[in-house]
Amino acid sequence: MEKKELESLFAAVAAGEVSPEDAVVRVQTEPFRDLGYAKPDMQRGIRQGVAEVIYGAGKTADQIAGIIAALRSSGQQRVMATRVDVEKARVLRAALSSDDAADFSYDECSRMVIVGGAPEPDGNGYVAVAAAGTSDLPVAEEAAITAEMLGSRVVRLYDVGVAGLHRLLAHADDIAGAQVVVAVAGMEGALPSVIGGLASCPVIAVPTSVGYGASFGGVTALLAMLNSCASGVSVVNIDNGFGAGYQAALIDHARARSAL
């Protein structure tokens, strides 16, 4: 069960459309389901507002299918699985129930599986996802699709790295209008610092493992981003597009809290 579904259930109780007893039965499901190889969290959507997402690397297609079935049976409208390669996605789709297979989609660039459609955007504005180069697109798309699946509108700014600064400056208006910018870059990792100097919103820096030998698999970009002189830049782990997209969606949906 997800947070919005819980809110709708409470509204139905208040309107007299659902009895309190029936509501208790619908909510009183197990907090997790033990599948032997995994324990899917059935109530994460209620606690956190975002239901569990499956990390697909290291899991078999059958295991992912079992987790998807468990989450969907608990009322989760949409399920994301990250880091799923093409062959595993093919086997996974065949292993799903007919209903889940009908809602299945796979994005080869981001290596993401989605069961269920994206929600209508309901954030405060939009998330800008900027990628330094085409080689960074798998991580950038992982961030963009994650944010979209969490209800954010996404504006993509691709191949805007500092090697051709005019390409980035052509999108100055998109950066200025964003609620949050996700800046994805490998090599020397300079893009987030440049965007940080242009933006009035939070910038989430994503180092990628793209680059030649001295990039050390993304460590050079990571250290450069951690040492950014631009204010308002935070950094996620190497190649962690999902984490950046998730955080960006949270920022995009943030509401001002009333004074106590």
Side-chain angles (χ1 to χ4, degrees):
M1 180 173 288
E2 298 179 340
K3 187 176 181 180
K4 289 184 179 179
E5 185 181 357
L6 186 64
E7 291 171 348
S8 297
L9 178 60
F10 287 162
V13 172
E17 299 168 357
V18 176
S19 71
E21 293 77 15
D22 287 342
V24 169
V25 171
R26 291 171 63 176
V27 172
Q28 202 174 36
T29 58
E30 70 271 37
F32 66 90
R33 187 169 303 171
D34 193 344
L35 302 180
Y37 55 85
K39 293 180 174 63
D41 187 344
M42 302 302 182
Q43 297 180 351
R44 187 174 301 180
I46 296 174
R47 296 194 315 273
Q48 297 185 330
V50 178
E52 182 167 358
V53 176
I54 303 166
Y55 180 66
K59 294 182 177 69
T60 67
D62 286 340
Q63 288 171 339
I64 297 172
I67 297 170
I68 290 172
L71 293 173
R72 295 271 281 183
S73 70
S74 73
Q76 188 166 323
Q77 296 180 7
R78 55 192 61 88
V79 180
M80 288 185 282
T82 65
R83 303 303 167 95
V84 180
D85 62 44
V86 174
E87 177 59 22
K88 188 181 293 185
R90 184 189 65 78
V91 177
L92 170 59
R93 183 170 192 167
L96 293 173
S97 69
S98 57
D99 288 342
D100 289 343
D103 285 339
F104 177 97
S105 63
Y106 177 68
D107 182 75
E108 186 173 345
C109 178
S110 64
R111 296 175 292 166
M112 291 186 69
V113 164
I114 305 295
V115 178
E120 288 296 319
D122 59 359
N124 296 319
Y126 64 86
V127 174
V129 177
T134 305
S135 297
D136 299 306
L137 289 191
V139 177
E141 273 299 294
E142 185 178 75
I145 292 173
T146 297
E148 288 174 333
M149 291 302 296
L150 299 184
S152 288
R153 182 165 71 91
V154 174
V155 173
R156 290 163 169 82
L157 314 175
Y158 287 171
D159 198 19
V160 292
V162 299
L165 197 55
H166 53 290
R167 300 175 302 182
L168 177 64
L169 296 178
H171 295 284
D173 289 346
D174 294 319
I175 293 169
Q179 291 290 314
V180 54
V181 179
V182 176
V184 183
M187 299 290 186
E188 80 292 339
L191 181 63
S193 292
V194 176
I195 290 177
L198 299 173
S200 60
C201 63
V203 176
I204 302 172
V206 188
T208 71
S209 52
V210 171
Y212 294 104
S215 69
F216 298 112
V219 173
T220 296
L222 172 65
L223 294 177
M225 293 173 183
L226 288 171
N227 284 283
S228 174
C229 63
S231 301
V233 176
S234 58
V235 187
V236 298
N237 205 350
I238 298 169
D239 291 336
N240 188 10
F242 166 75
Y246 188 109
Q247 182 71 358
L250 291 180
I251 294 171
D252 182 41
H253 288 82
R255 301 289 189 267
R257 295 188 178 183
S258 300
L260 297 176

